[in-house]
């Protein structure tokens, strides 16, 4: 391996090839710790504050190690950035002959089989889809990857995509007539042959943990696995170690079976009758729930009038469809696929209702068109621990937010990381001069009915002082909408002409683009804007947070975890709820200062930060801001001239 001091030094290859590069002590120390973990095949959990340069800190020792490396990121956006920008920059600087590949979930690749079927059927949900199909056909003919992210002419939100991509359920595998041209299989072949493979957390857990076909071969050959944005892992892993089933899957089966009636089994008149009956049963089941966006513990769901009958009706109608599919399965691989999916869904529905696994918490989530039946593990530590110890390799977990102060015990316990080393590197930014933490006086208790109005009122003079240029981050969608409405009225009354943007009015990407261009906007958002958002410069000069982000106490999984911990004689608040809130708050606060030139005010409206004994533990976990409770200090901060 090359000497990292030389690589990261002021006269090294990074300084020679990367514009604006300069050596940071924290970055070098982190890279050295990762290099040691890779050499020794150990586990390392590393927190690196904003501005440390953690991406290069893990990529450089990984590329110099000579082994096979899997890098898993939090989102597909980060995946694209890593593959298209960061990895090529590091590889060129180091002049190392490593091959690099990117692998996404199969829903990101055009499927030749489903594209042809959608084209032949010609049934589209909108006029736009009818136009998009021609662009997708042309793209599939000329693309080397089939990755829909490369087809910028068709929006990612277009309703055509599910019709022209495959799922793990409706993929025909080797039976498919297009198997040799399959974009998913080509991507997997490239990944198997590459030295460095970039995946995302959902794909890692879906395909590796469940030992799905294809990608399972990647992990045994990997010497090192690196998780960036590793704070997201407990939640993502929980999805895949659980046993979930959605009415969407049942509806998809009915529609696919009906499509096979049209193309392959026109003489089987029982098939359309069975699919129509199943679709009606699914719709009837959705109608017993009043609201979308609802998360119900299983006891409440089961108590809803008509739940048992509607659930049994889906099972019965699915059984009837399966009986018809059994008689047709031999006619065509697609019909056989539908039959096998039907049997699997019947088993999943039965297993969810039977609730035989006591380590799984059952709950129900209601969406506009569908119902998701969840069975989520109380702990992922055991399941993930098995992966860690399956065979020798190094595991690196890194993020800007993993610790409470510099204590990693909450994260280590969640992930089952009993053998891990830890490393903590603070941000190189000068927070004492660049930023101010403001907690206003006189705020009511966060659970009072007047609280949201008080947040809007307290935020107003800060927004005047900052001349707009702010994020207002709320802990719930309801609070977000209320704060937005109150600010809109207050802006009008006070003659404040700052553009006011609201999460949901358009996509996150479009909103951020508008926010940056406007330069004086106020964006009111919720969960989508707490992390993974990078706005540098004066356009974002204030971040206002309404409440400490404790997980909602009515969350079914959280409630079950709290009960279990308290029953074991542990303190669920200090061991679980508080660390969760700290890590989430650090993410939101991290939106403010993104480089050495940024200046700004972080306003946290919640009086518990000052009034409660645990408040000190929270603010001590944040970067070392200068602190105040006076609006006058905020005014003075923004009155100072920006450094040239």
């Amino acid at each position: 391996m090359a000497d990292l001091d030389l690589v990261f030094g002021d006269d090294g290859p990074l300084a020679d090839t990367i514009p604006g590069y300069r050596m940071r002590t924290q970055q070098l120390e982190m890279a050295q710790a990762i290099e040691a973990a890779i050499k020794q095949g150990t586990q390392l959990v590393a927190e690196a504050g904003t501005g440390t340069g953690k991406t290069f800190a893990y990529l450089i020792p990984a590329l110099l190690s000579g082994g096979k490396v899997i890098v898993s990121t939090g989102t597909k956006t980060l995946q694209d950035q890593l593959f298209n920008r960061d990895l090529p920059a590091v590889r060129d600087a180091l002049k190392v002959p490593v091959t690099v590949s990117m692998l996404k979930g199969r829903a990101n690749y055009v499927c030749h089989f489903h594209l042809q079927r959608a084209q032949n059927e010609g049934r589209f949900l909108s006029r736009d889809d009818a136009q998009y199909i021609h662009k997708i056909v042309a793209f599939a003919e000329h693309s080397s990857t089939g990755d829909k992210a490369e087809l910028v002419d068709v929006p990612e939100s277009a309703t055509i995509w599910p019709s022209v991509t495959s799922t793990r359920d409706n993929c025909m595998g080797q039976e498919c007539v297009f198997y040799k041209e399959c974009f998913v299989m080509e991507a997997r072949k490239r990944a198997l042959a590459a030295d460095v493979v970039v995946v995302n957390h959902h794909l890692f857990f879906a395909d590796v943990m469940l030992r799905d076909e294809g990608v399972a071969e990647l992990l045994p050959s990997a010497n090192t696995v690196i998780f960036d944005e590793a704070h997201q892992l407990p939640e993502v892993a929980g999805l895949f170690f659980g046993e979930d089933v959605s009415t969407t899957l049942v509806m998809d089966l009915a529609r696919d079976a009906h499509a096979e009636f049209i193309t392959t089994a026109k003489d089987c008149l029982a098939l359309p009758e069975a699919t129509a009956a199943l679709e009606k049963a699914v719709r009837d089941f959705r109608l017993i729930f009043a609201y979308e966006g609802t998360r119900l513990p299983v006891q409440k769901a089961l108590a809803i009038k008509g739940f048992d009958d509607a659930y049994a009706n889906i099972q019965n109608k699915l059984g009837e469809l399966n009986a018809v599919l059994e008689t047709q399965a031999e006619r065509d691989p697609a019909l056989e696929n539908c039959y096998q999916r039907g049997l699997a869904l019947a088993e999943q529905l039965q297993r969810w209702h039977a609730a035989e696994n006591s380590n799984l918490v059952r709950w129900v989530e209601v969406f506009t068109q569908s119902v998701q039946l969840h069975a989520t593990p109380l702990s992922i530590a055991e399941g993930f621990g098995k992966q860690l110890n399956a065979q020798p390799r190094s595991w690196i977990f890194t993020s800007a937010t993993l610790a409470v102060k510099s204590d990693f015990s909450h994260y280590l316990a969640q992930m089952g990381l009993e053998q891990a080393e830890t490393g903590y590197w603070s941000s190189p930014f000068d927070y004492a001069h660049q930023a101010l933490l403001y907690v206003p006086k006189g705020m009511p208790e966060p659970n009072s009915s007047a609280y949201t109005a008080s947040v809007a009122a307290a935020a107003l003079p800060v927004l005047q002082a900052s001349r707009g240029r702010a994020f207002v981050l709320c802990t719930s969608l309801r609070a977000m909408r209320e704060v937005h409405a109150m600010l809109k009225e207050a802006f009008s009354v006070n003659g404040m002409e700052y553009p006011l943007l609201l999460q949901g009015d358009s996509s996150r990407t479009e909103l951020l683009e508008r926010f940056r261009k406007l330069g004086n906007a106020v964006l009111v958002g919720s969960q989508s804007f707490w992390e993974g958002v990078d706005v540098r410069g004066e356009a974002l000069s204030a971040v206002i947070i309404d409440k400490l982000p404790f997980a909602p106490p009515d969350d079914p999984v959280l409630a079950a975890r709290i009960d279990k911990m308290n029953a074991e004689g542990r303190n669920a608040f200090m061991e679980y709820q508080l660390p969760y809130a700290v890590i989430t708050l650090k993410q939101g606060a991290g939106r403010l200062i993104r480089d050495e030139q940024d200046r700004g005010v972080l306003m946290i409206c919640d009086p518990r930060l000052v009034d409660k004994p645990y408040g000190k533990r929270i603010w001590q976990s944040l970067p070392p801001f200068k602190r105040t409770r006076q609006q006058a200090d905020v005014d003075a901060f923004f009155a100072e001239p920006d450094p040239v």
Side-chain angles (χ1 to χ4, degrees):
M1 254 191 195
D3 185 333
L4 292 182
D5 287 290
L6 295 175
V7 172
F8 284 94
D10 289 330
D11 299 320
L14 297 180
D16 285 347
T17 55
I18 293 167
Y21 173 83
R22 61 182 189 74
M23 214 269 290
R24 300 183 189 104
T25 306
Q26 295 95 326
Q27 187 181 44
L28 173 59
E29 289 177 359
M30 182 180 173
Q32 288 168 333
I34 290 172
E35 179 187 53
I38 291 174
K39 278 181 178 174
Q40 294 156 19
T42 54
Q43 301 161 11
L44 174 68
V45 177
E47 177 170 315
T50 309
T52 305
K54 64 182 168 65
T55 306
F56 281 19
Y58 67 71
L59 282 182
I60 286 165
L63 265 61
L64 292 172
S65 69
K68 178 148 189 153
V69 180
I70 296 175
V71 182
S72 182
T73 68
T75 63
K76 286 182 288 187
T77 306
L78 283 171
Q79 214 182 335
D80 287 330
Q81 179 183 307
L82 198 61
F83 181 73
N84 294 316
R85 193 184 74 188
D86 298 331
L87 265 167
V90 171
R91 184 172 59 179
D92 293 348
L94 298 177
K95 296 184 172 60
V96 285
V98 295
T99 53
V100 179
S101 173
M102 177 164 61
L103 190 59
K104 298 179 181 178
R106 62 169 67 250
N108 293 279
Y109 300 97
V110 175
C111 168
H112 295 291
F113 176 82
H114 289 95
L115 175 61
Q116 186 186 72
R117 193 166 79 174
Q119 196 181 9
N120 290 343
E121 286 180 13
R123 293 188 302 166
F124 303 110
L125 294 173
S126 69
R127 189 176 296 168
D128 284 342
D129 284 359
Q131 294 173 336
Y132 291 149
I133 191 83
H134 301 298
K135 293 181 177 180
I136 297 170
V137 168
F139 171 72
E141 285 175 3
H142 298 105
S143 173
S144 61
T145 66
D147 183 347
K148 68 181 189 182
E150 295 173 11
L151 181 53
V152 291
D153 290 348
V154 180
E156 193 172 348
S157 57
T159 49
I160 187 72
W161 284 120
S163 302
V164 298
T165 55
S166 69
T167 65
R168 193 159 56 94
D169 292 318
N170 68 19
C171 171
M172 309 282 281
Q174 294 184 16
E175 299 290 330
C176 181
V177 293
F178 296 103
Y179 184 73
K180 289 182 178 175
E181 301 147 64
C182 176
F183 289 124
V184 173
M185 297 316 297
E186 282 303 310
R188 288 182 167 176
K189 282 179 199 166
R190 285 194 295 270
L192 285 169
D195 300 311
V196 180
V197 187
V198 183
V199 299
N200 59 62
H201 300 338
H202 280 82
L203 178 67
F204 183 91
F205 283 100
D207 277 11
V208 180
M209 296 312 206
L210 295 180
R211 286 291 180 259
D212 190 7
E213 80 287 356
V215 187
E217 299 161 42
L218 279 178
L219 189 56
S221 65
N223 305 96
T224 301
V225 179
I226 300 172
F227 292 107
D228 198 349
E229 302 297 328
H231 63 278
Q232 298 175 3
L233 290 181
E235 187 174 343
V236 177
L239 295 173
F240 292 102
F241 284 128
E243 295 178 5
D244 297 351
V245 59
S246 168
T247 60
T248 302
L249 294 176
V250 182
M251 198 65 103
D252 286 347
L253 170 67
R255 288 171 182 162
D256 287 348
H258 187 81
E260 288 311 311
F261 161 71
I262 293 170
T263 56
T264 311
K266 289 191 178 73
D267 55 342
C268 181
L269 299 180
L271 192 52
E273 291 175 14
T275 58
L278 181 57
E279 286 189 28
K280 182 178 185 304
V282 170
R283 284 194 291 270
D284 289 347
F285 181 62
R286 168 61 187 86
L287 288 172
I288 68 167
F289 299 94
Y291 307 108
E292 61 182 279
T294 309
R295 294 159 68 103
L296 300 167
V298 69
Q299 297 84 355
K300 278 192 179 177
L302 294 174
I304 291 173
K305 185 180 177 185
F307 182 97
D308 283 335
D309 288 345
Y311 195 88
N313 192 35
I314 289 181
Q315 290 179 294
N316 290 337
K317 298 306 177 191
L318 178 58
E320 289 171 12
L321 174 59
N322 285 341
V324 176
L325 286 170
E326 185 178 13
T327 67
Q328 304 298 309
E330 289 184 359
R331 295 177 69 163
D332 188 88
L335 282 163
E336 172 68 29
N337 173 269
C338 287
Y339 177 51
Q340 295 301 330
R341 285 162 61 194
L343 294 178
L345 280 169
E347 187 184 330
Q348 287 173 284
L349 288 166
Q350 192 279 327
R351 202 163 55 229
W352 187 87
H353 204 259
E356 288 160 0
N357 187 339
S358 59
N359 186 43
L360 297 178
V361 180
R362 288 187 300 155
W363 54 289
V364 174
E365 194 168 13
V366 183
F367 299 96
T368 311
Q369 303 277 335
S370 64
V371 181
Q372 185 98 19
L373 306 162
H374 297 277
T376 305
L378 280 168
S379 169
I380 63 157
E382 185 183 345
F384 192 66
K386 286 177 185 171
Q387 298 298 325
L388 291 171
N389 302 315
Q391 66 186 88
R393 68 170 59 86
S394 50
W395 297 81
I396 313 295
F397 303 80
T398 181
S399 169
T401 55
L402 293 172
V404 178
K405 292 171 73 172
S406 53
D407 177 9
F408 290 88
S409 54
H410 168 70
Y411 188 78
L412 298 176
Q414 271 190 301
M415 297 296 295
L417 293 163
E418 296 168 7
Q419 312 295 324
E421 298 286 319
T422 59
Y424 180 86
W425 290 274
S426 57
S427 169
F429 298 155
D430 185 357
Y431 283 95
H433 291 94
Q434 287 179 252
L436 184 68
L437 170 59
Y438 170 49
V439 182
K441 290 182 176 178
M443 291 295 290
E445 285 297 305
N447 59 0
S448 74
S449 58
Y451 188 75
T452 306
S454 300
V455 167
L460 207 62
V462 175
L463 294 171
Q464 283 178 312
S466 67
R467 305 186 303 283
R469 305 186 301 163
F471 278 2
V472 181
L473 300 179
C474 300
T475 49
S476 72
L477 291 171
R478 180 179 170 184
M480 176 190 83
R481 287 189 281 265
E482 289 176 1
V483 167
H484 177 264
M486 291 169 183
L487 287 178
K488 190 173 183 179
E489 185 179 346
F491 279 19
S492 175
V493 169
N494 291 281
M496 296 165 66
E497 297 184 350
Y498 308 122
L500 194 57
L501 310 178
L502 178 66
Q503 175 186 318
D505 281 354
S506 57
S507 74
R508 185 171 86 156
T509 306
E510 288 170 40
L511 280 173
L512 282 171
E513 195 58 38
R514 284 179 63 198
F515 183 87
R516 289 188 183 101
K517 278 184 179 170
L518 287 163
N520 67 340
V522 176
L523 191 155
V524 186
S526 185
Q527 197 169 2
S528 291
F529 289 89
W530 278 76
E531 63 175 281
V533 172
D534 189 10
V535 179
R536 299 176 187 226
E538 293 181 18
L540 181 57
S541 297
V543 170
I544 299 170
I545 292 175
D546 70 334
K547 283 184 189 179
L548 297 175
F550 288 103
D554 59 349
D555 179 278
V557 182
L558 176 68
R561 284 181 179 144
I562 290 171
D563 290 346
K564 185 172 186 283
M565 292 176 85
N566 290 339
E568 292 168 353
R570 296 156 66 191
N571 185 329
F573 180 78
M574 293 304 290
E575 285 186 50
Y576 191 87
Q577 290 166 278
L578 185 63
Y580 174 93
V582 168
I583 288 169
T584 309
L585 183 67
K586 283 167 72 173
Q587 279 291 334
R591 299 313 99 214
L592 183 64
I593 304 297
R594 304 301 297 174
D595 68 28
E596 286 146 339
Q597 307 305 316
D598 279 357
R599 294 179 78 247
V601 169
L602 172 65
M603 176 183 182
I604 301 176
C605 301
D606 197 323
R608 291 174 294 184
L609 195 65
V610 176
D611 298 345
K612 297 292 184 186
Y614 58 77
K616 184 176 182 182
R617 191 169 166 85
I618 297 175
W619 61 253
Q620 284 182 336
S621 296
L622 294 171
F625 294 92
K626 187 178 175 184
R627 299 188 302 277
T628 186
R629 303 208 67 192
Q630 307 296 330
Q631 173 67 41
D633 290 336
V634 176
D635 296 338
F637 180 92
F638 282 118
E640 290 175 24
D642 288 336
V644 179

